[in-house]
Amino acid sequence: MPGPISTRRHGDVLIVLSNNPPVNALSTAVRQGLVDAIAEAEADGDVRAVVIACEGQTFFAGADISEFGKPPQQPWLPTVVEAIENCSKPVVAAIHGTALGGGLEIALGCHYRVADASAKLGTPEVKLGLLPGAGGTQRLPRVAGVRKALEMVTSGTPIGARDGFACGLVDRLVEGDLIPHAVAYAEEVRDVRPLPKSSERQGKIEECDPALFDDFRKANAKRFRGFDAPEANIKAVQIACSTPYSEGVVEERKLFMELMTGAQSAAQRHLFFAERKAGRIDRLPENTAPRAIARVGVIGAGTMGGGIAMNFLSAGIPVTIVEMGQESLDRGTGIMRRNYEASAAKGKLTADQVETAMDYLQPTLDFAALADCDLVIEAVYENMDVKKEVFERVDKIAKPGAILASNTSYLDLNEIAAVTSRPADVVGLHFFSPANIMKLIEVVRGDATAPDVLLTAMTLGKRIRKVPVVAGVCHGFIGNRMLRQRQNEATRLLLEGASPEQIDRVHVDFGMPMGPFQMQDLAGVDIGWHRDPSRVETIRDQLCAMERRGQKTGAGFYDYDDKRRPTPSPLVQQVIEDFSARNGVQRREITDQEIVERTLYTMVNEGAKILEEGIAQRASDIDVVWVYGYGWPVYRGGPMFWADSEGLAKIVDGLRRQEERLKPEFSFSNLLLDMAAKGDSFTR
Ligand code: T1G
């Protein structure tokens, strides 16, 4: 079998071609092939220049992540990059698609870089909890400049080829056939000496202001909170500015190995593969094909309906959006336009893109307009009777083969499907608010949902740039079922002696974007409230009766100033203590560890039940749900990965310590007990 690297001559230029689908990851065979190709170029006196290019969708997309965690194989990537840079003949990188991570480091080892206009160049290592470990932190600032390098290595966001050309990372932008242009460029530079080695270029680092680094740290402190890799990347670039390359790469390697062997990178690499696995449907019948979705109908132009519609409009899919009244229809479409305009104001969209998206929208009061939609999504009030009425009605209007989807966040999809004549065409599409921003969609499959309907929903989820995860039917599916555990225990801990701010602090210190009570204040304390102020059975009822419904009323569990900054409320503390007294609960000192055990360990136990009931296809799907739906810190890998890191036996011990306090609702997952006893893990 020929290796992934081949060579061919074009005049006096040796073309080195990688063919390692799907993304030309720098596997051991690719690395060896590159070293051999450079040796071939050196040995052939007729070769006066080299072009390195890739077949398929992209230039090298980085080190082969599937090799991580295994014993590293020679030649190591730094060795390959050095071999390219030390070639006595000019080497030109021909970049298309994405040059990412080690792929960009290969390009930086080349003496020149030619890119087609669609190319992207990036250092996404930080998203894996790493840093460019093959000289990238030392070469990139020397070629692209220090500030650009800092932005790239700490964000992981690729830059476009034009941006690359502007900062000096790309030497020539080309249109059309990339390789012939790269060969022509190689012929132009074949006699240039000395060769421009990235590692020897000092100009851009000498002009760097040392204060840049601390300013950059301060400006990004919030974004980097809790992560190890961003600071390590900054440190490595800072070293490049004060140390000769040969010493800098030694420091870079030390920093890289610290990250590679650390818990955070293992968690983030787990999520990289978990996100891709989540998109697969286990045991899908052979030859199942997705249905064509050319037009989508959305019922309800409220916050969710409008946000849902925007996802399709942004993907160029026409949307018919239906409301009951002109005023609510106009309000909904107005909010959609304003959301797009806000993105345009931030430079994320052009004015034309806003108009194009809005042109795909057909707002109407006429339900019958849904007749030509291939998929209809209801986003109406979260009430079973209302949803059943809507599904009965749309079932009579929608064309044969149209898929009917509910955006319900916890109701029984089977019950909804049963009122239609087409239960096999019914599926749940649980978007997370704000629906145009949050990446997660729980794709809920009912007992009758047809395989091609499920596949259509998953395929469409990816098409609108979401992260779809299959969920079975139960109260709250995957995410909200576990959230309910957490919220119930958080509320009980208030009665027993903890304060909202203590419980929230434990969760924020853990890495969550906010704690249970901050989250309720943001979403609205009155979500799911029975709306009868005379009926006060819980702390939440009391707050709603007092018009303390969260940030939207300037007060909830916290008081808020006009900039929505929260402060603890003595009034709420009094309400809590009154409830403790009313329920005969003796308040006591609550430790942070108890809060972790009763809110986070119980979530893991619920996740194990979700797994053993088949509601989630795999443990890593639960991690994806919590990372993309609720902001679980990526450097902890998700609840199930984190449970493995804690040790399942430790989780069980903690729950046993709390078992009395968790009663009567709590019961152990048999799967969790069994795996803990065997020393198994969910995700390793
Ligand atoms: N290694 C191994 N497999 C990879 C891979 C990689 N780098 N990148 C993608 N895949 C697999 C992926 O798992 C999936 O497999 C298939 O390719 C298609 O991926 C030393 C240490 C390139 C933008 O972080 O960002 O270099 O599920 O679905 O949407 O300094 O893949 O089909 O079996 O994402 O078209 C740095 C990660 C590595 C790039 C393409 N590089 N990849 O997106 O396809 S660390 C990265 C991506 C490093 C050095 C350091 C994307 C993509 P399967 P996909 P896509």
Side-chain angles (χ1 to χ4, degrees):
M1 282 283 285
I5 298 289
S6 62
T7 60
R8 70 170 191 268
R9 285 283 297 281
H10 182 96
D12 52 16
V13 175
L14 182 70
I15 299 171
V16 180
L17 212 49
S18 172
N19 181 16
N20 186 34
V23 297
N24 283 300
L26 289 153
S27 64
T28 303
V30 169
R31 300 196 304 273
Q32 187 57 58
L34 288 172
V35 168
D36 296 346
I38 294 297
E40 179 187 336
E42 292 284 32
D44 186 337
D46 295 336
V47 169
R48 298 174 62 187
V50 180
V51 166
I52 296 179
C54 291
E55 306 226 50
Q57 75 175 48
T58 179
F59 192 73
F60 304 109
D64 186 336
I65 307 172
S66 63
E67 291 181 358
F68 290 175
K70 298 169 188 162
Q73 302 290 318
Q74 300 268 16
W76 293 334
L77 193 55
T79 309
V80 179
V81 177
E82 304 270 345
I84 294 168
E85 187 171 67
N86 293 329
C87 181
S88 64
K89 302 165 184 179
V91 183
V92 177
I95 301 169
H96 76 292
T98 51
L100 299 177
L104 183 58
E105 291 174 298
I106 290 284
L108 282 165
C110 296
H111 305 106
Y112 300 95
R113 286 153 293 281
V114 171
D116 71 18
S118 69
K120 291 189 184 314
L121 306 95
T123 49
E125 290 91 335
V126 70
K127 292 181 177 176
L128 298 170
L130 296 171
L131 54 78
T137 64
Q138 308 302 300
R139 288 190 173 91
L140 187 60
R142 285 179 163 87
V143 175
V146 178
R147 175 174 289 283
K148 179 61 84 178
L150 277 178
E151 288 162 0
M152 290 177 69
V153 296
T154 56
S155 69
T157 307
I159 62 173
R162 291 188 202 294
D163 193 351
F165 181 72
C167 72
L169 192 49
V170 170
D171 298 294
R172 177 168 294 176
L173 282 177
V174 297
E175 297 287 342
D177 268 356
L178 176 61
I179 293 181
H181 282 295
V183 169
Y185 190 87
E187 285 161 350
E188 285 175 37
V189 298
R190 64 186 161 203
D191 299 325
V192 171
R193 298 296 185 278
L195 292 170
K197 292 185 178 182
S198 306
S199 61
E200 292 175 357
R201 293 164 65 164
Q202 293 298 105
K204 291 191 175 180
I205 58 172
E206 279 158 6
E207 69 195 22
C208 168
D209 171 4
L212 171 66
F213 297 98
D214 282 346
D215 294 350
F216 189 80
R217 286 184 175 96
K218 283 194 199 87
N220 292 284
K222 195 161 180 293
R223 192 156 61 101
F224 299 158
R225 179 174 71 91
F227 286 92
D228 295 337
E231 174 52 30
N233 275 277
I234 295 170
K235 208 174 280 179
V237 172
Q238 197 163 8
I239 286 167
C241 294
S242 56
T243 316
Y245 172 80
S246 57
E247 294 167 30
V249 280
V250 172
E251 294 308 308
E252 174 192 85
R253 175 57 47 182
K254 282 182 201 157
L255 289 166
F256 177 82
M257 288 315 295
E258 274 169 35
L259 293 173
M260 176 62 95
T261 53
Q264 291 199 359
S265 181
Q268 291 175 245
R269 298 196 312 266
H270 158 71
L271 285 171
F272 175 85
F273 291 111
E275 180 188 333
R276 286 152 180 83
K277 251 187 282 179
R280 296 180 201 141
I281 303 167
D282 290 346
R283 293 181 297 286
L284 189 67
E286 282 292 306
N287 307 322
T288 304
R291 297 182 191 177
I293 302 293
R295 173 174 281 277
V296 172
V298 175
I299 304 172
T303 307
M304 287 307 287
I308 290 169
M310 288 179 71
N311 292 304
F312 296 98
L313 299 175
S314 302
I317 301 171
V319 173
T320 300
I321 192 162
V322 177
E323 253 296 351
M324 308 297 276
Q326 192 61 48
E327 190 195 336
S328 49
L329 184 62
D330 293 345
R331 185 169 56 248
T333 52
I335 290 170
M336 292 162 72
R337 172 171 287 281
R338 278 199 295 283
N339 282 340
Y340 277 127
E341 286 168 350
S343 297
K346 292 177 199 153
K348 292 181 181 169
L349 286 177
T350 64
D352 285 351
Q353 286 169 321
V354 172
E355 293 314 316
T356 303
M358 291 305 289
D359 286 347
Y360 279 121
L361 182 65
Q362 181 201 330
T364 177
L365 301 178
D366 177 13
F367 230 74
L370 296 169
D372 67 349
C373 294
D374 306 293
L375 162 69
V376 179
I377 305 169
E378 64 78 15
V380 299
Y381 183 54
E382 192 70 353
N383 170 284
M384 183 55 89
D385 292 340
V386 172
K387 291 196 186 289
K388 282 181 175 177
E389 193 272 327
V390 164
F391 269 78
E392 279 168 344
R393 197 171 165 204
V394 76
D395 181 36
K396 295 183 178 67
I397 291 167
K399 64 185 177 185
I403 294 172
L404 310 184
S406 170
N407 174 54
T408 181
S409 52
Y410 61 87
L411 296 174
D412 184 335
L413 186 82
N414 294 324
E415 197 177 330
I416 293 172
V419 302
T420 72
S421 64
R422 60 177 94 189
D425 294 342
V426 175
V427 71
L429 289 178
H430 177 211
F431 288 82
F432 281 67
S433 184
N436 54 311
I437 305 288
M438 296 299 281
K439 301 279 281 180
L440 179 67
I441 304 179
E442 282 181 323
V443 178
V444 185
R445 68 169 148 199
D447 297 344
T449 301
D452 70 323
V453 170
L454 184 61
L455 179 61
T456 305
M458 295 297 281
T459 307
L460 194 59
K462 292 175 204 162
R463 185 174 161 196
I464 61 173
R465 306 175 65 79
K466 296 287 187 184
V467 179
V469 179
V470 176
V473 176
C474 69
H475 189 92
F477 313 129
I478 297 173
N480 282 346
R481 176 169 161 182
M482 292 168 72
L483 179 69
R484 193 157 166 264
Q485 282 299 320
R486 186 188 85 170
Q487 302 298 87
N488 286 350
E489 281 309 306
T491 302
R492 293 173 69 183
L493 282 159
L494 284 189
L495 287 176
E496 294 176 35
S499 65
E501 46 276 17
Q502 180 191 6
I503 295 168
D504 285 345
R505 174 182 51 74
V506 167
H507 283 249
V508 171
D509 288 350
F510 178 81
M512 297 300 287
M514 61 185 79
F517 301 103
Q518 291 161 326
M519 183 173 160
Q520 286 184 62
D521 275 359
L522 177 67
V525 181
D526 55 345
I527 287 185
W529 178 48
H530 48 64
R531 298 193 182 290
D532 176 358
S534 65
R535 199 173 118 208
V536 175
E537 291 154 356
T538 64
I539 294 170
R540 191 270 289 273
D541 289 347
Q542 182 65 71
L543 296 185
C544 290
M546 294 161 72
E547 291 296 316
R548 294 182 69 98
R549 300 186 185 181
Q551 288 189 22
K552 63 188 176 186
T553 56
F557 282 93
Y558 296 88
D559 293 327
Y560 292 90
D561 66 15
D562 54 4
K563 291 191 172 55
R564 294 202 168 198
R565 285 181 298 226
T567 48
S569 160
L571 179 61
V572 168
Q573 191 55 35
Q574 190 54 56
V575 165
I576 293 168
E577 288 169 14
D578 292 349
F579 260 88
S580 301
R582 221 167 102 176
N583 289 278
V585 175
Q586 181 58 43
R587 293 182 69 77
R588 60 185 171 85
E589 184 72 26
I590 304 274
T591 64
D592 289 357
Q593 181 57 24
E594 178 176 345
I595 292 171
V596 169
E597 291 170 357
R598 289 181 59 178
T599 57
L600 295 175
Y601 283 18
T602 47
M603 277 175 56
V604 169
N605 184 67
E606 200 62 28
K609 288 184 177 178
I610 285 168
L611 209 46
E612 64 191 336
E613 293 167 22
I615 298 295
Q617 295 189 103
R618 49 190 85 84
S620 59
D621 284 7
I622 296 170
D623 291 338
V624 171
V625 164
W626 268 85
V627 163
Y628 286 104
Y630 302 85
W632 183 282
V634 291
Y635 55 79
R636 291 186 190 271
M640 309 313 271
F641 183 93
W642 171 70
D644 290 337
S645 312
E646 288 281 286
L648 299 189
K650 180 181 173 191
I651 298 278
V652 169
D653 291 347
L655 289 170
R656 287 215 189 285
R657 265 197 300 279
Q658 305 299 338
E659 198 168 3
E660 278 312 304
R661 296 181 179 132
L662 292 169
K663 283 180 179 165
E665 291 88 353
F666 177 80
S667 65
F668 270 105
S669 151
N670 293 324
L671 176 64
L672 175 62
L673 290 175
D674 184 43
M675 290 178 77
K678 290 178 184 163
D680 278 351
S681 68
F682 289 117
T683 62
R684 295 319 200 247

